[in-house]
Amino acid sequence: MRLSLRHGPTRPRRPHPRGTRLRGPRLRAAVATTAVAGLLLTGCGANPSFGRDPHTLVIGAEGEIPALDPHRLSGTVGLRVTDALFDPLIREELGTRTDRAPALRPSLAKSWTVAPDALTVTLALREGVTFTDGTPFDAAAVRTNFDRIMDEKSPVHDPTAAGNMKFLTRWIERVDTPGTHTVALRLTRPYAGLPRMLTDRRMSIISPRALRAHRPDDIGLHPVGTGAFTQDKADHGKRVTLKRNDDYWGGAPRTPTIIVESVTDPTTLAIAAQTGEIDAILSAGAQQVQQLAGRGTMTVQYPEPANQYFLRLNTRTAPTDNTTFRRALNHAVDRKAVATLTGGQVAPSTGPLPRGNEAYQEPSASAATPYDHDPELARRLIRESGVPTPVRLKLLAPDSGPGFSQATEIMSLIQQDLKAVGVRLDIQYMEFASLVAVEGKGYENGTHGSFNGWTTGADAADFLERMFSGALHPPDGVNRGWYRDARVDTLLDRARGEPDENRRMSLYRQAADGIGADAPWVFLYQDRLPRLLSRKIDGVVPAASVYVDYTTIRRR
């Protein structure tokens, strides 16, 4: 049996009217559909995972699986799959549990050095590695990948990939290859922390032969890397079957076959796990944890990687262009109520640096929380801001999707908190991919922000720069709320070039303090991002990352 309930090509879902919920016949139809799906899946319990052999591992993806072109991707669902097919130059150590960003370890680069002036990063590449199409991996292959995202004259240049990779390439002046297995990245500005950026799965290395053989739009349909697995079959959007690369340079993986199956309905995904059709849910929702943990079939891991969930605010349009008003919104929200709603799966967050980020420091016991829930203070700050109440704000929000299984309930709580201080939220719910597409160009006037979250790169101190730099407004970055502060930008510039790690982290923390005071987001919470794993699964360490080590995971 196949778990996906979709048939044929998928189409973007139209946004729900603001604040709508299913009612009457639509609600009864939705309940009936879920019930039927549950019965079908329960009926398959005796024949788990559509007849797979006992060593095949099935991972449930909480969103649709995109074309697997790492240079074009941004979401965790797709990047998790590409992580099995491709290697970045540097990886994190996923075999050790830590309470902050995992240590860096060699991948396709066996070692690297940062020049004293932090203007050159030199990588010594691993020798004897080949892509799964037989192409040798060497400095020329790395150069071709950078040409794709940097050199408009290159025959493999892809403007879409180039735009997505601006977060990295904006710092690179040129790529030199002084030896067949040596690459030197010459930087435009000092950047001592760049090696951690190279762990980003978007900078995975693609076979040059594949880049030349396929049109840019088709690279993700024919993914070829140096990774632990190869793509065997794919019904993109729905499922991908991965086969073990027995010649993997890092040693043959323990699992012969992995199937990644998209099951976007959280209830259906939970039933599939309960009946044994799914072995792992790598980003489980709170309700799924409550349903499945402790029932004898699934165990729960809390890797607690760095991430942030927030209301990003439009700092260009009134009244969210008013700093005092934005601070008031932060004091109006009861984050502990959100944590209670999710059964403790999330932890309140009141600033831009998440726990697990390399620059994060636990506050002292005597330190005041920057944005305690204080409705009376929120009302006073609104009066000081000069914004007349009642006032309406238009926000976008996902109705489901990766990490958003309880999005509508969370937004209802926030809606009530803000109403209590004279702020009315008009919420436009939409499918997650549609939300990302709408907000990706930056908020238009009249849209005051959106509910979203961010995990990719959140463990690096320069997460602050990606999210808040005045130079990274769309289309050059993801600062979609148009925030800009000259002092913050200066601190980020200084931190980037500071070779001393302690001083560098101190500068990033100063920048975080400035961002927190300006409140360009309503800081909400950090998801513990639990994993649900079948008791038949081993080889997964709860390292502080959204990724797992595909060479060690297996189904016993």
Side-chain angles (χ1 to χ4, degrees):
M1 173 184 173
R2 292 191 171 187
L3 297 174
S4 176
L5 302 182
R6 296 179 300 279
H7 301 280
T10 58
R11 297 179 182 177
R13 292 163 58 187
R14 288 183 295 178
H16 298 315
R18 77 186 181 203
T20 56
R21 299 287 190 276
L22 295 176
R23 303 176 187 276
R26 292 173 64 201
L27 177 59
R28 288 192 293 274
V31 171
T33 299
T34 301
V36 170
L39 288 171
L40 288 172
L41 287 164
T42 302
C44 293
N47 186 23
S49 298
F50 43 90
R52 56 121 183 255
D53 71 79
H55 300 296
T56 294
L57 171 69
V58 181
I59 297 174
E62 65 274 29
E64 294 186 359
I65 303 168
L68 301 175
D69 180 344
H71 300 167
R72 285 188 169 200
L73 286 174
S74 61
T76 304
V77 171
L79 288 170
R80 272 202 188 110
V81 183
T82 62
D83 194 35
L85 301 169
F86 300 90
D87 290 305
L89 293 165
I90 301 172
R91 282 191 178 274
E92 313 100 319
E93 175 53 66
L94 299 183
T96 304
R97 184 168 191 170
T98 63
D99 61 357
R100 60 178 54 231
L104 302 184
R105 71 171 177 83
S107 181
L108 290 178
K110 61 184 180 181
S111 64
W112 57 91
T113 57
V114 179
D117 61 4
L119 281 170
T120 301
V121 177
T122 303
L123 302 116
L125 305 182
R126 201 174 292 276
E127 299 182 26
V129 176
T130 58
F131 293 92
T132 55
D133 63 0
T135 304
F137 167 76
D138 55 17
V142 174
R143 174 64 181 268
T144 300
N145 276 255
F146 277 100
D147 285 348
R148 186 192 189 207
I149 55 178
M150 292 181 63
D151 184 0
E152 295 181 2
K153 297 179 181 178
S154 169
V156 300
H157 182 69
D158 178 4
T160 301
N164 192 48
M165 298 301 295
K166 260 293 188 9
F167 76 93
L168 171 64
T169 57
R170 67 190 293 252
W171 307 116
I172 301 174
E173 181 179 7
R174 70 180 191 274
V175 178
D176 292 339
T177 53
T180 58
H181 286 84
T182 304
V183 171
L185 305 180
R186 312 294 185 187
L187 309 184
T188 58
R189 298 182 186 180
Y191 199 164
L194 188 130
R196 186 168 290 277
M197 289 189 74
L198 295 176
T199 69
D200 195 302
R201 300 317 192 267
R202 288 174 288 180
M203 196 55 247
S204 295
I205 304 300
I206 303 171
S207 165
R209 184 187 300 176
L211 290 176
R212 296 185 184 104
H214 303 291
R215 297 182 307 160
D217 289 349
D218 293 339
I219 295 297
L221 304 178
H222 307 277
V224 182
T226 60
F229 286 81
T230 62
Q231 178 177 285
D232 182 48
K233 291 181 285 189
D235 185 355
H236 284 290
K238 299 179 181 180
R239 71 188 57 80
V240 175
T241 302
L242 308 174
K243 289 295 185 183
R244 174 167 58 196
N245 177 7
D246 289 320
D247 297 322
Y248 183 53
W249 61 265
R254 300 170 74 193
T255 298
T257 306
I258 295 176
I259 297 173
V260 184
E261 177 83 17
S262 173
V263 189
T264 56
D265 178 71
T267 301
T268 305
L269 185 55
I271 294 169
Q274 185 173 354
T275 59
E277 298 206 48
I278 292 291
D279 295 311
I281 304 174
L282 298 182
S283 290
Q287 292 171 329
Q288 292 167 334
V289 172
Q290 292 166 9
Q291 289 171 319
L292 297 170
R295 294 199 174 188
T297 57
M298 306 289 284
T299 61
V300 61
Q301 277 190 358
Y302 288 97
E304 308 204 37
N307 65 86
Q308 285 281 41
Y309 285 77
F310 46 83
L311 303 182
R312 184 194 290 111
L313 301 174
N314 185 347
T315 62
R316 280 186 177 178
T317 195
T320 49
D321 60 345
N322 185 307
T323 302
T324 304
F325 179 75
R326 297 195 302 266
R327 291 175 184 157
L329 299 182
N330 271 280
H331 282 293
V333 173
D334 186 353
R335 297 163 181 83
K336 292 181 180 179
V338 176
T340 300
L341 172 70
T342 65
Q345 178 168 317
V346 308
S349 177
T350 57
L353 270 179
R355 284 169 295 277
N357 184 283
E358 61 181 341
Y360 180 80
Q361 260 188 348
E362 285 288 347
S364 65
S366 59
T369 303
Y371 289 114
D372 281 329
H373 178 222
D374 190 337
E376 187 52 47
L377 176 57
R379 294 186 192 97
R380 178 166 63 80
L381 288 172
I382 291 174
R383 290 193 296 270
E384 290 177 8
S385 75
V387 175
T389 55
V391 61
R392 287 189 177 274
L393 302 181
K394 176 186 174 182
L395 260 69
L396 312 177
D399 58 7
S400 60
F404 293 104
S405 62
Q406 292 185 270
T408 55
E409 293 95 330
I410 289 170
M411 287 305 296
S412 292
L413 283 181
I414 294 171
Q415 203 169 28
Q416 294 169 22
D417 289 341
L418 294 185
K419 183 178 179 181
V421 299
V423 179
R424 306 294 179 92
L425 288 189
D426 292 339
I427 305 171
Q428 182 178 354
Y429 289 100
M430 58 181 66
E431 193 269 333
F432 180 72
S434 300
L435 170 67
V436 173
V438 169
E439 70 172 21
K441 296 176 287 188
Y443 300 127
E444 298 178 349
N445 287 337
T447 296
H448 296 98
S450 67
F451 174 35
N452 213 324
W454 203 276
T455 301
T456 305
D459 57 351
D462 62 17
F463 170 72
L464 296 177
E465 186 149 17
R466 298 192 205 184
M467 298 293 107
F468 301 106
S469 168
L472 290 179
H473 293 165
D476 295 323
V478 295
N479 184 355
R480 296 162 181 166
W482 311 111
Y483 171 72
R484 185 191 301 272
D485 181 85
R487 181 174 178 273
V488 166
D489 285 343
T490 297
L491 285 166
L492 294 174
D493 282 342
R494 289 175 58 198
R496 193 184 323 108
E498 174 55 60
D500 182 88
E501 183 174 357
N502 290 331
R503 286 197 291 267
R504 184 165 72 250
M505 296 304 138
S506 175
L507 289 166
Y508 277 121
R509 286 191 282 270
Q510 291 177 51
D513 290 341
I515 294 164
D518 286 342
W521 294 354
V522 176
F523 307 103
L524 293 178
Y525 60 86
Q526 184 166 340
D527 198 323
R528 298 179 70 193
L529 291 178
R531 299 169 180 155
L532 282 166
L533 304 172
S534 164
R535 292 188 181 275
K536 296 180 179 180
I537 298 297
D538 67 18
V540 181
V541 174
S545 174
V546 297
Y547 299 104
V548 298
D549 189 335
Y550 284 105
T551 65
T552 59
I553 188 173
R554 69 163 180 169
R555 187 176 194 269
R556 296 192 298 272

